[in-house]
Amino acid sequence: MRKYFNAALLVTLAFACAPKEQGATIDYTTMSDAERLEVATKMAQETIMVDGHVDLPYRMKVGGFTLQREVLDVSVRTPDGNFDFPRAKEGGLDAPFMSIYIPAGLQQTPGSSKALADSLILMTERLAETFPSQFAMAYSPADVEANFAAGKVSLPMGMENGSALEDDISNVAYFHERGIRYITLTHGKANLIGDSSYDTVRLYNGLSEYGEKVVAEMNRVGIMVDLSHVSDDTFKDALALTKAPVIASHSSVRKFTPGFERNMSDELIQAMAKNGGVMMINFGGTFIDSAYATGADKVREHLINYMAENNLSRRDSAAQAYIAEYSSANNPFPTVQRVADHIDHVKNLVGIDYVGLGSDFDGVGDSLPTGLKDVSMYPNLIAELLKRGYTKEEIEKICYKNVFRVWKAVDDYAASQKG
């Protein structure tokens, strides 16, 4: 960010941040790109920002996280990964849902999925305990608001793959007590709950009988039903059963990736909006542009052949220099504009009230788009939306108000069941 502002920009910023009751109307589309980015950065840092899916806990597990700072200390800037505290503060990220990710392969060993979930929850709690001035747990929108006021990054938790429930319905209440606030019903394979979008085997053609009980129990205890990863039939079954709004914590629009069932069709987007739910856009390259996979494969093939022909490995400085130069010249990555296209599509199809952010940072490898490579870069997306005519109020809905509405509705329904 530039340290010095010209007088005109200071006036622009003053109007942009003025309270609504003063009647200030700002046309962000007329600003220069640099001015708009300054406004977007300030907006990101002054607005609560929720991201529906960040895979930090599994990254910590793979990295051998302990309470020893020298292993993986995300309270300081890290050389790899997409998330740490300094970058989160730069980008205005306040409440990344920590993904308690359970690989589908563990389903073959009873008890192992729940055991991993327990360990990742404990790991997330230890992160907050180890760095209490930077991080804090969050179990409700009110917790996020309090942490935001204190300058802390909240760590709400969502469990990615309902397989951790095993075959015991009482585990739904157990995981709510442990702090889980959404459960992604399936992951890469069908499980006891229902069918997965990634799995060619359809065991139930939707939800299983057990899955129907799981959805009802999630409603009862106050866990958001997350329909990312599920098959279309599982999606429709869950929507037909749920008594509260649902989310898709990290899914994008299928229009831009024809044939990719993991993304949501217009029919499903409209059905989710009718339910009152929110779709949180995934930033991964394969999720936002079908051309990415083809382009990335071509670049990868060329680089493999180049290294083989020149007897080089990726560790060699000559190879690294060539890889950087070639990749830059033949960049296969989509850009931040493509992510904005997905948000545009949802807004134009069903309205601004049903879209949010679900980056999948630390979960989609190096496929992230140019301009959104880590959590410091959310202002680039906000700037692009402002350029397209989005208002400050619409940005706030995307950043947190829409998902807060669903979260509160789920909590309210659960509270009504206790009477």
Side-chain angles (χ1 to χ4, degrees):
M1 186 188 303
R2 294 180 302 179
K3 293 183 179 179
Y4 303 103
F5 303 87
N6 59 39
L9 179 54
L10 287 173
V11 171
T12 299
L13 286 172
F15 275 104
C17 299
K20 286 186 289 185
E21 57 266 26
Q22 293 182 7
T25 300
I26 302 299
D27 184 358
Y28 301 108
T29 66
T30 63
M31 296 179 180
S32 70
D33 288 345
E35 290 171 340
R36 196 161 34 242
L37 182 58
E38 297 285 4
V39 172
T41 301
K42 188 173 181 64
M43 196 177 289
Q45 293 173 346
E46 294 185 349
T47 301
I48 293 174
M49 187 182 299
V50 178
D51 189 313
H53 195 89
V54 173
D55 273 295
L56 178 65
Y58 204 75
R59 174 186 160 205
M60 290 193 297
K61 173 182 169 58
V62 172
F65 176 79
T66 69
L67 297 184
Q68 302 302 315
R69 294 190 177 194
E70 63 267 27
V71 176
L72 180 58
D73 181 357
V74 291
S75 73
V76 297
R77 193 176 303 273
T78 56
D80 54 11
N82 309 130
F83 173 90
D84 53 48
F85 181 80
R87 287 183 286 175
K89 296 302 285 186
E90 289 169 13
L93 177 61
D94 304 294
F97 266 89
M98 295 286 97
S99 172
I100 306 303
Y101 164 59
I102 312 301
L106 294 182
Q107 296 166 194
Q108 307 305 314
T109 306
S112 61
S113 294
K114 181 176 181 294
L116 177 59
D118 282 330
S119 71
L120 294 179
I121 291 169
L122 182 60
M123 195 179 297
T124 304
E125 292 171 338
R126 285 179 176 171
L127 178 61
E129 292 165 2
T130 306
F131 308 112
S133 62
Q134 289 101 337
F135 301 107
M137 302 304 295
Y139 308 107
S140 67
D143 288 344
V144 174
E145 291 169 339
N147 293 337
F148 175 73
K152 298 180 182 182
V153 172
S154 291
L155 302 177
M157 295 183 291
M159 190 163 71
E160 186 179 22
N161 197 353
S163 63
L165 300 175
E166 306 285 348
D167 59 354
D168 186 351
I169 196 70
S170 69
N171 279 330
V172 177
Y174 168 82
F175 279 115
H176 181 269
E177 184 67 22
R178 294 292 288 112
I180 294 297
R181 289 300 178 264
Y182 74 68
I183 295 176
T184 317
L185 298 184
T186 70
H187 192 256
K189 295 287 185 182
N191 59 22
L192 296 177
I193 295 171
D195 294 330
S196 163
S197 62
Y198 281 137
D199 200 343
T200 57
V201 175
R202 301 298 159 100
L203 296 179
Y204 318 102
N205 293 317
L207 285 175
S208 67
E209 290 185 12
Y210 176 67
E212 293 175 357
K213 295 176 182 177
V214 166
V215 170
E217 183 68 357
M218 289 171 67
N219 285 169
R220 187 188 72 81
V221 305
I223 294 179
M224 290 180 279
V225 176
D226 177 19
L227 299 182
S228 288
H229 279 288
V230 303
S231 70
D232 286 4
D233 287 335
T234 302
F235 195 111
K236 294 172 184 176
D237 284 352
L239 276 184
L241 287 169
T242 184
K243 303 299 183 183
V246 301
I247 64 170
S249 67
H250 58 305
S251 295
S252 298
V253 175
R254 197 180 299 172
K255 173 188 174 182
F256 300 100
T257 57
F260 186 38
E261 189 179 3
R262 171 65 178 80
N263 274 345
M264 289 172 57
S265 67
D266 285 2
E267 177 190 7
L268 297 184
I269 295 169
Q270 290 168 324
M272 175 173 278
K274 186 176 181 180
N275 160 268
V278 61
M279 173 186 183
M280 309 179 82
I281 301 298
N282 192 311
F283 296 172
T286 56
F287 289 82
I288 61 173
D289 197 330
S290 58
Y292 164 74
T294 300
D297 286 345
K298 289 180 179 178
V299 169
R300 190 178 300 111
E301 181 181 5
H302 173 84
L303 294 174
I304 289 172
N305 290 336
Y306 173 84
M307 287 186 288
E309 292 167 1
N310 291 275
N311 197 28
L312 295 172
S313 75
R314 283 186 176 272
R315 293 187 296 272
D316 295 319
S317 58
Q320 291 174 1
Y322 183 82
I323 289 170
E325 180 181 359
Y326 185 85
S327 297
S328 177
N330 298 273
N331 183 358
F333 300 104
T335 66
V336 65
Q337 285 79 17
R338 197 50 149 177
V339 177
D341 290 343
H342 284 253
I343 294 173
D344 272 352
H345 184 81
V346 179
K347 176 188 175 183
N348 293 336
L349 183 67
V350 295
I352 194 64
D353 295 322
Y354 308 103
V355 64
L357 307 174
S359 65
D360 214 348
F361 278 136
D362 279 333
V364 288
D366 61 359
S367 74
L368 291 159
T370 301
L372 279 174
K373 294 295 188 183
D374 63 43
V375 295
S376 71
M377 299 184 182
Y378 294 99
N380 291 334
L381 177 58
I382 293 175
E384 177 62 26
L385 295 175
L386 293 175
K387 186 176 184 178
R388 297 181 183 207
Y390 283 66
T391 66
K392 183 174 184 289
E393 291 72 23
E394 289 176 323
I395 298 296
E396 289 173 347
K397 287 186 175 185
I398 293 168
C399 287
Y400 79 101
K401 288 184 176 179
N402 289 342
V403 70
F404 268 23
R405 170 181 53 78
V406 174
W407 196 347
K408 290 174 181 177
V410 170
D411 283 348
D412 289 346
Y413 179 81
S416 75
Q417 300 307 293
K418 296 175 181 177

